[in-house]
mmCIF file with all atom_site columns, all heavy atoms in Angstrom:
data_model
loop_
_atom_site.group_PDB
_atom_site.id
_atom_site.type_symbol
_atom_site.label_atom_id
_atom_site.label_alt_id
_atom_site.label_comp_id
_atom_site.label_asym_id
_atom_site.label_entity_id
_atom_site.label_seq_id
_atom_site.pdbx_PDB_ins_code
_atom_site.Cartn_x
_atom_site.Cartn_y
_atom_site.Cartn_z
_atom_site.occupancy
_atom_site.B_iso_or_equiv
_atom_site.pdbx_formal_charge
_atom_site.auth_seq_id
_atom_site.auth_comp_id
_atom_site.auth_asym_id
_atom_site.auth_atom_id
_atom_site.pdbx_PDB_model_num
ATOM 1   N N   . GLY U 1 1  ? -0.165 -2.432  18.276  1.00 0.00 ? 579 GLY U N   1
ATOM 2   C CA  . GLY U 1 1  ? 0.513  -1.373  17.536  1.00 0.00 ? 579 GLY U CA  1
ATOM 3   C C   . GLY U 1 1  ? 0.448  -1.570  16.035  1.00 0.00 ? 579 GLY U C   1
ATOM 4   O O   . GLY U 1 1  ? -0.202 -2.496  15.536  1.00 0.00 ? 579 GLY U O   1
ATOM 5   N N   . SER U 1 2  ? 1.153  -0.688  15.332  1.00 0.00 ? 580 SER U N   1
ATOM 6   C CA  . SER U 1 2  ? 1.136  -0.682  13.872  1.00 0.00 ? 580 SER U CA  1
ATOM 7   C C   . SER U 1 2  ? 2.547  -0.596  13.317  1.00 0.00 ? 580 SER U C   1
ATOM 8   O O   . SER U 1 2  ? 3.453  -0.050  13.953  1.00 0.00 ? 580 SER U O   1
ATOM 9   C CB  . SER U 1 2  ? 0.333  0.521   13.353  1.00 0.00 ? 580 SER U CB  1
ATOM 10  O OG  . SER U 1 2  ? -1.003 0.467   13.782  1.00 0.00 ? 580 SER U OG  1
ATOM 11  N N   . LEU U 1 3  ? 2.703  -1.133  12.129  1.00 0.00 ? 581 LEU U N   1
ATOM 12  C CA  . LEU U 1 3  ? 3.935  -0.986  11.350  1.00 0.00 ? 581 LEU U CA  1
ATOM 13  C C   . LEU U 1 3  ? 3.542  -0.831  9.888   1.00 0.00 ? 581 LEU U C   1
ATOM 14  O O   . LEU U 1 3  ? 2.493  -1.338  9.464   1.00 0.00 ? 581 LEU U O   1
ATOM 15  C CB  . LEU U 1 3  ? 4.856  -2.200  11.501  1.00 0.00 ? 581 LEU U CB  1
ATOM 16  C CG  . LEU U 1 3  ? 5.700  -2.330  12.768  1.00 0.00 ? 581 LEU U CG  1
ATOM 17  C CD1 . LEU U 1 3  ? 6.423  -3.677  12.766  1.00 0.00 ? 581 LEU U CD1 1
ATOM 18  C CD2 . LEU U 1 3  ? 6.696  -1.195  12.891  1.00 0.00 ? 581 LEU U CD2 1
ATOM 19  N N   . ARG U 1 4  ? 4.411  -0.184  9.145   1.00 0.00 ? 582 ARG U N   1
ATOM 20  C CA  . ARG U 1 4  ? 4.207  -0.060  7.707   1.00 0.00 ? 582 ARG U CA  1
ATOM 21  C C   . ARG U 1 4  ? 5.441  -0.590  6.993   1.00 0.00 ? 582 ARG U C   1
ATOM 22  O O   . ARG U 1 4  ? 6.539  -0.065  7.171   1.00 0.00 ? 582 ARG U O   1
ATOM 23  C CB  . ARG U 1 4  ? 3.951  1.388   7.308   1.00 0.00 ? 582 ARG U CB  1
ATOM 24  C CG  . ARG U 1 4  ? 3.539  1.566   5.852   1.00 0.00 ? 582 ARG U CG  1
ATOM 25  C CD  . ARG U 1 4  ? 3.204  3.031   5.565   1.00 0.00 ? 582 ARG U CD  1
ATOM 26  N NE  . ARG U 1 4  ? 2.700  3.226   4.213   1.00 0.00 ? 582 ARG U NE  1
ATOM 27  C CZ  . ARG U 1 4  ? 1.429  3.122   3.877   1.00 0.00 ? 582 ARG U CZ  1
ATOM 28  N NH1 . ARG U 1 4  ? 0.519  2.819   4.781   1.00 0.00 ? 582 ARG U NH1 1
ATOM 29  N NH2 . ARG U 1 4  ? 1.056  3.330   2.607   1.00 0.00 ? 582 ARG U NH2 1
ATOM 30  N N   . LEU U 1 5  ? 5.251  -1.643  6.222   1.00 0.00 ? 583 LEU U N   1
ATOM 31  C CA  . LEU U 1 5  ? 6.342  -2.217  5.439   1.00 0.00 ? 583 LEU U CA  1
ATOM 32  C C   . LEU U 1 5  ? 6.294  -1.650  4.029   1.00 0.00 ? 583 LEU U C   1
ATOM 33  O O   . LEU U 1 5  ? 5.221  -1.397  3.485   1.00 0.00 ? 583 LEU U O   1
ATOM 34  C CB  . LEU U 1 5  ? 6.214  -3.741  5.379   1.00 0.00 ? 583 LEU U CB  1
ATOM 35  C CG  . LEU U 1 5  ? 6.132  -4.489  6.711   1.00 0.00 ? 583 LEU U CG  1
ATOM 36  C CD1 . LEU U 1 5  ? 6.083  -5.994  6.452   1.00 0.00 ? 583 LEU U CD1 1
ATOM 37  C CD2 . LEU U 1 5  ? 7.281  -4.131  7.615   1.00 0.00 ? 583 LEU U CD2 1
ATOM 38  N N   . SER U 1 6  ? 7.473  -1.481  3.448   1.00 0.00 ? 584 SER U N   1
ATOM 39  C CA  . SER U 1 6  ? 7.567  -1.025  2.066   1.00 0.00 ? 584 SER U CA  1
ATOM 40  C C   . SER U 1 6  ? 8.416  -2.000  1.276   1.00 0.00 ? 584 SER U C   1
ATOM 41  O O   . SER U 1 6  ? 9.373  -2.572  1.800   1.00 0.00 ? 584 SER U O   1
ATOM 42  C CB  . SER U 1 6  ? 8.191  0.368   1.984   1.00 0.00 ? 584 SER U CB  1
ATOM 43  O OG  . SER U 1 6  ? 7.303  1.344   2.450   1.00 0.00 ? 584 SER U OG  1
ATOM 44  N N   . CYS U 1 7  ? 8.065  -2.159  0.015   1.00 0.00 ? 585 CYS U N   1
ATOM 45  C CA  . CYS U 1 7  ? 8.847  -2.989  -0.889  1.00 0.00 ? 585 CYS U CA  1
ATOM 46  C C   . CYS U 1 7  ? 9.189  -2.139  -2.103  1.00 0.00 ? 585 CYS U C   1
ATOM 47  O O   . CYS U 1 7  ? 8.287  -1.706  -2.839  1.00 0.00 ? 585 CYS U O   1
ATOM 48  C CB  . CYS U 1 7  ? 8.066  -4.226  -1.303  1.00 0.00 ? 585 CYS U CB  1
ATOM 49  S SG  . CYS U 1 7  ? 8.980  -5.314  -2.415  1.00 0.00 ? 585 CYS U SG  1
ATOM 50  N N   . ALA U 1 8  ? 10.485 -1.899  -2.291  1.00 0.00 ? 586 ALA U N   1
ATOM 51  C CA  . ALA U 1 8  ? 10.956 -1.115  -3.422  1.00 0.00 ? 586 ALA U CA  1
ATOM 52  C C   . ALA U 1 8  ? 11.486 -2.055  -4.491  1.00 0.00 ? 586 ALA U C   1
ATOM 53  O O   . ALA U 1 8  ? 12.301 -2.937  -4.207  1.00 0.00 ? 586 ALA U O   1
ATOM 54  C CB  . ALA U 1 8  ? 12.048 -0.146  -2.983  1.00 0.00 ? 586 ALA U CB  1
ATOM 55  N N   . ALA U 1 9  ? 11.011 -1.858  -5.701  1.00 0.00 ? 587 ALA U N   1
ATOM 56  C CA  . ALA U 1 9  ? 11.421 -2.704  -6.820  1.00 0.00 ? 587 ALA U CA  1
ATOM 57  C C   . ALA U 1 9  ? 12.276 -1.917  -7.794  1.00 0.00 ? 587 ALA U C   1
ATOM 58  O O   . ALA U 1 9  ? 12.023 -0.740  -8.047  1.00 0.00 ? 587 ALA U O   1
ATOM 59  C CB  . ALA U 1 9  ? 10.198 -3.271  -7.530  1.00 0.00 ? 587 ALA U CB  1
ATOM 60  N N   . SER U 1 10 ? 13.277 -2.573  -8.334  1.00 0.00 ? 588 SER U N   1
ATOM 61  C CA  . SER U 1 10 ? 14.117 -1.952  -9.365  1.00 0.00 ? 588 SER U CA  1
ATOM 62  C C   . SER U 1 10 ? 14.482 -3.005  -10.396 1.00 0.00 ? 588 SER U C   1
ATOM 63  O O   . SER U 1 10 ? 14.390 -4.202  -10.146 1.00 0.00 ? 588 SER U O   1
ATOM 64  C CB  . SER U 1 10 ? 15.380 -1.342  -8.748  1.00 0.00 ? 588 SER U CB  1
ATOM 65  O OG  . SER U 1 10 ? 16.147 -2.338  -8.118  1.00 0.00 ? 588 SER U OG  1
ATOM 66  N N   . GLY U 1 11 ? 14.901 -2.537  -11.551 1.00 0.00 ? 589 GLY U N   1
ATOM 67  C CA  . GLY U 1 11 ? 15.248 -3.451  -12.630 1.00 0.00 ? 589 GLY U CA  1
ATOM 68  C C   . GLY U 1 11 ? 14.184 -3.434  -13.706 1.00 0.00 ? 589 GLY U C   1
ATOM 69  O O   . GLY U 1 11 ? 13.691 -2.389  -14.101 1.00 0.00 ? 589 GLY U O   1
ATOM 70  N N   . ARG U 1 12 ? 13.778 -4.598  -14.144 1.00 0.00 ? 590 ARG U N   1
ATOM 71  C CA  . ARG U 1 12 ? 12.770 -4.700  -15.196 1.00 0.00 ? 590 ARG U CA  1
ATOM 72  C C   . ARG U 1 12 ? 11.457 -4.072  -14.764 1.00 0.00 ? 590 ARG U C   1
ATOM 73  O O   . ARG U 1 12 ? 11.118 -4.077  -13.585 1.00 0.00 ? 590 ARG U O   1
ATOM 74  C CB  . ARG U 1 12 ? 12.507 -6.169  -15.532 1.00 0.00 ? 590 ARG U CB  1
ATOM 75  C CG  . ARG U 1 12 ? 13.568 -6.851  -16.353 1.00 0.00 ? 590 ARG U CG  1
ATOM 76  C CD  . ARG U 1 12 ? 13.150 -8.272  -16.671 1.00 0.00 ? 590 ARG U CD  1
ATOM 77  N NE  . ARG U 1 12 ? 11.934 -8.314  -17.483 1.00 0.00 ? 590 ARG U NE  1
ATOM 78  C CZ  . ARG U 1 12 ? 11.268 -9.422  -17.764 1.00 0.00 ? 590 ARG U CZ  1
ATOM 79  N NH1 . ARG U 1 12 ? 11.678 -10.578 -17.285 1.00 0.00 ? 590 ARG U NH1 1
ATOM 80  N NH2 . ARG U 1 12 ? 10.177 -9.375  -18.509 1.00 0.00 ? 590 ARG U NH2 1
ATOM 81  N N   . THR U 1 13 ? 10.744 -3.556  -15.737 1.00 0.00 ? 591 THR U N   1
ATOM 82  C CA  . THR U 1 13 ? 9.399  -3.046  -15.467 1.00 0.00 ? 591 THR U CA  1
ATOM 83  C C   . THR U 1 13 ? 8.403  -3.880  -16.252 1.00 0.00 ? 591 THR U C   1
ATOM 84  O O   . THR U 1 13 ? 8.747  -4.498  -17.275 1.00 0.00 ? 591 THR U O   1
ATOM 85  C CB  . THR U 1 13 ? 9.284  -1.567  -15.863 1.00 0.00 ? 591 THR U CB  1
ATOM 86  O OG1 . THR U 1 13 ? 9.591  -1.436  -17.251 1.00 0.00 ? 591 THR U OG1 1
ATOM 87  C CG2 . THR U 1 13 ? 10.245 -0.711  -15.052 1.00 0.00 ? 591 THR U CG2 1
ATOM 88  N N   . PHE U 1 14 ? 7.173  -3.897  -15.761 1.00 0.00 ? 592 PHE U N   1
ATOM 89  C CA  . PHE U 1 14 ? 6.123  -4.697  -16.366 1.00 0.00 ? 592 PHE U CA  1
ATOM 90  C C   . PHE U 1 14 ? 4.881  -3.852  -16.548 1.00 0.00 ? 592 PHE U C   1
ATOM 91  O O   . PHE U 1 14 ? 4.580  -2.984  -15.733 1.00 0.00 ? 592 PHE U O   1
ATOM 92  C CB  . PHE U 1 14 ? 5.794  -5.897  -15.464 1.00 0.00 ? 592 PHE U CB  1
ATOM 93  C CG  . PHE U 1 14 ? 6.991  -6.732  -15.106 1.00 0.00 ? 592 PHE U CG  1
ATOM 94  C CD1 . PHE U 1 14 ? 7.622  -6.568  -13.887 1.00 0.00 ? 592 PHE U CD1 1
ATOM 95  C CD2 . PHE U 1 14 ? 7.484  -7.669  -15.984 1.00 0.00 ? 592 PHE U CD2 1
ATOM 96  C CE1 . PHE U 1 14 ? 8.723  -7.325  -13.544 1.00 0.00 ? 592 PHE U CE1 1
ATOM 97  C CE2 . PHE U 1 14 ? 8.585  -8.437  -15.661 1.00 0.00 ? 592 PHE U CE2 1
ATOM 98  C CZ  . PHE U 1 14 ? 9.215  -8.269  -14.437 1.00 0.00 ? 592 PHE U CZ  1
ATOM 99  N N   . THR U 1 15 ? 4.156  -4.134  -17.612 1.00 0.00 ? 593 THR U N   1
ATOM 100 C CA  . THR U 1 15 ? 2.899  -3.429  -17.833 1.00 0.00 ? 593 THR U CA  1
ATOM 101 C C   . THR U 1 15 ? 1.881  -3.809  -16.771 1.00 0.00 ? 593 THR U C   1
ATOM 102 O O   . THR U 1 15 ? 1.163  -2.967  -16.246 1.00 0.00 ? 593 THR U O   1
ATOM 103 C CB  . THR U 1 15 ? 2.347  -3.758  -19.223 1.00 0.00 ? 593 THR U CB  1
ATOM 104 O OG1 . THR U 1 15 ? 3.327  -3.422  -20.203 1.00 0.00 ? 593 THR U OG1 1
ATOM 105 C CG2 . THR U 1 15 ? 1.058  -2.990  -19.482 1.00 0.00 ? 593 THR U CG2 1
ATOM 106 N N   . SER U 1 16 ? 1.820  -5.060  -16.483 1.00 0.00 ? 594 SER U N   1
ATOM 107 C CA  . SER U 1 16 ? 0.957  -5.542  -15.410 1.00 0.00 ? 594 SER U CA  1
ATOM 108 C C   . SER U 1 16 ? 1.724  -6.596  -14.626 1.00 0.00 ? 594 SER U C   1
ATOM 109 O O   . SER U 1 16 ? 2.496  -7.366  -15.196 1.00 0.00 ? 594 SER U O   1
ATOM 110 C CB  . SER U 1 16 ? -0.345 -6.107  -15.969 1.00 0.00 ? 594 SER U CB  1
ATOM 111 O OG  . SER U 1 16 ? -0.091 -7.240  -16.760 1.00 0.00 ? 594 SER U OG  1
ATOM 112 N N   . TYR U 1 17 ? 1.507  -6.606  -13.335 1.00 0.00 ? 595 TYR U N   1
ATOM 113 C CA  . TYR U 1 17 ? 2.206  -7.554  -12.478 1.00 0.00 ? 595 TYR U CA  1
ATOM 114 C C   . TYR U 1 17 ? 1.459  -7.654  -11.167 1.00 0.00 ? 595 TYR U C   1
ATOM 115 O O   . TYR U 1 17 ? 0.513  -6.907  -10.891 1.00 0.00 ? 595 TYR U O   1
ATOM 116 C CB  . TYR U 1 17 ? 3.657  -7.105  -12.241 1.00 0.00 ? 595 TYR U CB  1
ATOM 117 C CG  . TYR U 1 17 ? 3.797  -5.776  -11.529 1.00 0.00 ? 595 TYR U CG  1
ATOM 118 C CD1 . TYR U 1 17 ? 3.993  -5.718  -10.151 1.00 0.00 ? 595 TYR U CD1 1
ATOM 119 C CD2 . TYR U 1 17 ? 3.718  -4.587  -12.241 1.00 0.00 ? 595 TYR U CD2 1
ATOM 120 C CE1 . TYR U 1 17 ? 4.117  -4.505  -9.506  1.00 0.00 ? 595 TYR U CE1 1
ATOM 121 C CE2 . TYR U 1 17 ? 3.839  -3.370  -11.595 1.00 0.00 ? 595 TYR U CE2 1
ATOM 122 C CZ  . TYR U 1 17 ? 4.051  -3.326  -10.232 1.00 0.00 ? 595 TYR U CZ  1
ATOM 123 O OH  . TYR U 1 17 ? 4.166  -2.122  -9.595  1.00 0.00 ? 595 TYR U OH  1
ATOM 124 N N   . ARG U 1 18 ? 1.877  -8.586  -10.393 1.00 0.00 ? 596 ARG U N   1
ATOM 125 C CA  . ARG U 1 18 ? 1.298  -8.737  -9.065  1.00 0.00 ? 596 ARG U CA  1
ATOM 126 C C   . ARG U 1 18 ? 2.431  -8.692  -8.033  1.00 0.00 ? 596 ARG U C   1
ATOM 127 O O   . ARG U 1 18 ? 3.473  -9.324  -8.226  1.00 0.00 ? 596 ARG U O   1
ATOM 128 C CB  . ARG U 1 18 ? 0.548  -10.056 -8.944  1.00 0.00 ? 596 ARG U CB  1
ATOM 129 C CG  . ARG U 1 18 ? -0.092 -10.304 -7.582  1.00 0.00 ? 596 ARG U CG  1
ATOM 130 C CD  . ARG U 1 18 ? -0.884 -11.601 -7.592  1.00 0.00 ? 596 ARG U CD  1
ATOM 131 N NE  . ARG U 1 18 ? -2.046 -11.506 -8.458  1.00 0.00 ? 596 ARG U NE  1
ATOM 132 C CZ  . ARG U 1 18 ? -2.478 -12.497 -9.223  1.00 0.00 ? 596 ARG U CZ  1
ATOM 133 N NH1 . ARG U 1 18 ? -1.859 -13.665 -9.243  1.00 0.00 ? 596 ARG U NH1 1
ATOM 134 N NH2 . ARG U 1 18 ? -3.549 -12.334 -9.987  1.00 0.00 ? 596 ARG U NH2 1
ATOM 135 N N   . MET U 1 19 ? 2.212  -7.942  -6.982  1.00 0.00 ? 597 MET U N   1
ATOM 136 C CA  . MET U 1 19 ? 3.172  -7.947  -5.885  1.00 0.00 ? 597 MET U CA  1
ATOM 137 C C   . MET U 1 19 ? 2.486  -8.512  -4.652  1.00 0.00 ? 597 MET U C   1
ATOM 138 O O   . MET U 1 19 ? 1.370  -8.110  -4.319  1.00 0.00 ? 597 MET U O   1
ATOM 139 C CB  . MET U 1 19 ? 3.709  -6.560  -5.592  1.00 0.00 ? 597 MET U CB  1
ATOM 140 C CG  . MET U 1 19 ? 4.776  -6.571  -4.512  1.00 0.00 ? 597 MET U CG  1
ATOM 141 S SD  . MET U 1 19 ? 5.703  -5.026  -4.430  1.00 0.00 ? 597 MET U SD  1
ATOM 142 C CE  . MET U 1 19 ? 6.819  -5.247  -5.788  1.00 0.00 ? 597 MET U CE  1
ATOM 143 N N   . GLY U 1 20 ? 3.161  -9.414  -4.023  1.00 0.00 ? 598 GLY U N   1
ATOM 144 C CA  . GLY U 1 20 ? 2.597  -10.059 -2.852  1.00 0.00 ? 598 GLY U CA  1
ATOM 145 C C   . GLY U 1 20 ? 3.490  -9.916  -1.642  1.00 0.00 ? 598 GLY U C   1
ATOM 146 O O   . GLY U 1 20 ? 4.688  -9.691  -1.751  1.00 0.00 ? 598 GLY U O   1
ATOM 147 N N   . TRP U 1 21 ? 2.864  -10.027 -0.494  1.00 0.00 ? 599 TRP U N   1
ATOM 148 C CA  . TRP U 1 21 ? 3.577  -10.104 0.782   1.00 0.00 ? 599 TRP U CA  1
ATOM 149 C C   . TRP U 1 21 ? 3.301  -11.481 1.383   1.00 0.00 ? 599 TRP U C   1
ATOM 150 O O   . TRP U 1 21 ? 2.141  -11.910 1.443   1.00 0.00 ? 599 TRP U O   1
ATOM 151 C CB  . TRP U 1 21 ? 3.107  -9.019  1.745   1.00 0.00 ? 599 TRP U CB  1
ATOM 152 C CG  . TRP U 1 21 ? 3.661  -7.654  1.450   1.00 0.00 ? 599 TRP U CG  1
ATOM 153 C CD1 . TRP U 1 21 ? 3.054  -6.662  0.730   1.00 0.00 ? 599 TRP U CD1 1
ATOM 154 C CD2 . TRP U 1 21 ? 4.916  -7.138  1.874   1.00 0.00 ? 599 TRP U CD2 1
ATOM 155 N NE1 . TRP U 1 21 ? 3.860  -5.560  0.682   1.00 0.00 ? 599 TRP U NE1 1
ATOM 156 C CE2 . TRP U 1 21 ? 5.008  -5.822  1.380   1.00 0.00 ? 599 TRP U CE2 1
ATOM 157 C CE3 . TRP U 1 21 ? 5.982  -7.636  2.630   1.00 0.00 ? 599 TRP U CE3 1
ATOM 158 C CZ2 . TRP U 1 21 ? 6.115  -5.011  1.608   1.00 0.00 ? 599 TRP U CZ2 1
ATOM 159 C CZ3 . TRP U 1 21 ? 7.078  -6.833  2.860   1.00 0.00 ? 599 TRP U CZ3 1
ATOM 160 C CH2 . TRP U 1 21 ? 7.137  -5.539  2.349   1.00 0.00 ? 599 TRP U CH2 1
ATOM 161 N N   . PHE U 1 22 ? 4.358  -12.119 1.794   1.00 0.00 ? 600 PHE U N   1
ATOM 162 C CA  . PHE U 1 22 ? 4.275  -13.407 2.465   1.00 0.00 ? 600 PHE U CA  1
ATOM 163 C C   . PHE U 1 22 ? 5.020  -13.272 3.792   1.00 0.00 ? 600 PHE U C   1
ATOM 164 O O   . PHE U 1 22 ? 5.802  -12.345 3.984   1.00 0.00 ? 600 PHE U O   1
ATOM 165 C CB  . PHE U 1 22 ? 4.921  -14.503 1.616   1.00 0.00 ? 600 PHE U CB  1
ATOM 166 C CG  . PHE U 1 22 ? 4.158  -14.828 0.355   1.00 0.00 ? 600 PHE U CG  1
ATOM 167 C CD1 . PHE U 1 22 ? 4.216  -13.979 -0.752  1.00 0.00 ? 600 PHE U CD1 1
ATOM 168 C CD2 . PHE U 1 22 ? 3.383  -15.969 0.269   1.00 0.00 ? 600 PHE U CD2 1
ATOM 169 C CE1 . PHE U 1 22 ? 3.511  -14.265 -1.909  1.00 0.00 ? 600 PHE U CE1 1
ATOM 170 C CE2 . PHE U 1 22 ? 2.684  -16.278 -0.880  1.00 0.00 ? 600 PHE U CE2 1
ATOM 171 C CZ  . PHE U 1 22 ? 2.740  -15.418 -1.964  1.00 0.00 ? 600 PHE U CZ  1
ATOM 172 N N   . ARG U 1 23 ? 4.813  -14.222 4.674   1.00 0.00 ? 601 ARG U N   1
ATOM 173 C CA  . ARG U 1 23 ? 5.552  -14.214 5.936   1.00 0.00 ? 601 ARG U CA  1
ATOM 174 C C   . ARG U 1 23 ? 5.866  -15.643 6.353   1.00 0.00 ? 601 ARG U C   1
ATOM 175 O O   . ARG U 1 23 ? 5.167  -16.580 5.995   1.00 0.00 ? 601 ARG U O   1
ATOM 176 C CB  . ARG U 1 23 ? 4.752  -13.495 7.024   1.00 0.00 ? 601 ARG U CB  1
ATOM 177 C CG  . ARG U 1 23 ? 3.464  -14.194 7.448   1.00 0.00 ? 601 ARG U CG  1
ATOM 178 C CD  . ARG U 1 23 ? 2.680  -13.309 8.416   1.00 0.00 ? 601 ARG U CD  1
ATOM 179 N NE  . ARG U 1 23 ? 1.453  -13.958 8.870   1.00 0.00 ? 601 ARG U NE  1
ATOM 180 C CZ  . ARG U 1 23 ? 0.539  -13.368 9.625   1.00 0.00 ? 601 ARG U CZ  1
ATOM 181 N NH1 . ARG U 1 23 ? 0.699  -12.105 9.996   1.00 0.00 ? 601 ARG U NH1 1
ATOM 182 N NH2 . ARG U 1 23 ? -0.544 -14.027 9.990   1.00 0.00 ? 601 ARG U NH2 1
ATOM 183 N N   . GLN U 1 24 ? 6.935  -15.733 7.138   1.00 0.00 ? 602 GLN U N   1
ATOM 184 C CA  . GLN U 1 24 ? 7.339  -17.034 7.650   1.00 0.00 ? 602 GLN U CA  1
ATOM 185 C C   . GLN U 1 24 ? 7.747  -16.880 9.101   1.00 0.00 ? 602 GLN U C   1
ATOM 186 O O   . GLN U 1 24 ? 8.699  -16.152 9.421   1.00 0.00 ? 602 GLN U O   1
ATOM 187 C CB  . GLN U 1 24 ? 8.484  -17.625 6.835   1.00 0.00 ? 602 GLN U CB  1
ATOM 188 C CG  . GLN U 1 24 ? 8.831  -19.036 7.228   1.00 0.00 ? 602 GLN U CG  1
ATOM 189 C CD  . GLN U 1 24 ? 9.721  -19.718 6.209   1.00 0.00 ? 602 GLN U CD  1
ATOM 190 O OE1 . GLN U 1 24 ? 10.400 -19.075 5.431   1.00 0.00 ? 602 GLN U OE1 1
ATOM 191 N NE2 . GLN U 1 24 ? 9.706  -21.048 6.221   1.00 0.00 ? 602 GLN U NE2 1
ATOM 192 N N   . ALA U 1 25 ? 7.008  -17.553 9.962   1.00 0.00 ? 603 ALA U N   1
ATOM 193 C CA  . ALA U 1 25 ? 7.311  -17.562 11.392  1.00 0.00 ? 603 ALA U CA  1
ATOM 194 C C   . ALA U 1 25 ? 8.252  -18.727 11.684  1.00 0.00 ? 603 ALA U C   1
ATOM 195 O O   . ALA U 1 25 ? 8.289  -19.700 10.931  1.00 0.00 ? 603 ALA U O   1
ATOM 196 C CB  . ALA U 1 25 ? 6.019  -17.688 12.195  1.00 0.00 ? 603 ALA U CB  1
#
């Protein structure tokens, strides 16, 4: 099957940045 995760950010803004997804089993 499939899932779609979303990450919503608020607060400071950046001209350039990196967003990552990590997981821990």
Side-chain angles (χ1 to χ4, degrees):
S580 299
L581 282 174
R582 188 176 185 88
L583 305 183
S584 288
C585 181
S588 61
R590 284 183 63 188
T591 59
F592 306 99
T593 303
S594 64
Y595 62 96
R596 180 177 293 142
M597 184 166 281
W599 283 96
F600 291 76
R601 66 186 181 186
Q602 187 166 22

